[in-house]
Amino acid sequence: VRGQVKVDQSPQVLSLQEGDNFMLKCNYSSTMTTLQWFKQKPGEGLIFLFFLTGETQKKENLRATLNTKKRQSSLYITASQPRDSGTYLCAIQ
């Protein structure tokens, strides 16, 4: 029987001005070592951003890190643009 995995993201809601920098954190209770970040805009499907196994990855103005010892991932957005608005989700496997 597989136990439930708890995933907490913070902050839950974030309001920014264009050009701001911000960071989202994802903490999880599993010993799994891979994590994915997605973005979703209202009424649209998930947009894949990153698949992490431990190394830092970058894409445009996004950067994602994964610390498997702390069981935590961070998503950094620098100089935010209107295209960055949406709901960000992390998933582990």
Side-chain angles (χ1 to χ4, degrees):
V1 178
R2 296 183 65 176
Q4 288 189 335
V5 175
K6 185 175 181 181
V7 177
D8 291 313
Q9 287 183 238
S10 62
Q12 296 291 325
V13 178
L14 189 62
S15 179
L16 298 167
Q17 298 295 321
E18 186 173 338
D20 284 352
N21 301 331
F22 65 99
M23 177 185 66
L24 301 171
K25 283 191 175 184
C26 177
N27 294 283
Y28 56 94
S29 63
S30 168
T31 56
M32 299 298 185
T33 57
T34 60
L35 183 141
Q36 297 177 75
W37 280 99
F38 298 89
K39 179 173 74 171
Q40 187 171 30
K41 289 185 174 287
E44 298 182 16
L46 291 175
I47 301 167
F48 171 79
L49 297 175
F50 296 105
F51 181 88
L52 299 169
T53 57
E55 72 286 356
T56 297
Q57 292 190 20
K58 296 179 181 180
K59 181 186 296 184
E60 296 177 340
N61 62 327
L62 306 178
R63 178 169 58 94
T65 64
L66 175 64
N67 186 324
T68 56
K69 290 182 180 179
K70 290 185 177 181
R71 297 181 183 179
Q72 181 181 87
S73 178
S74 297
L75 179 68
Y76 301 88
I77 302 183
T78 56
S80 62
Q81 301 296 316
R83 68 166 186 257
D84 296 319
S85 65
T87 300
Y88 288 83
L89 305 165
C90 66
I92 62 169
Q93 65 181 55

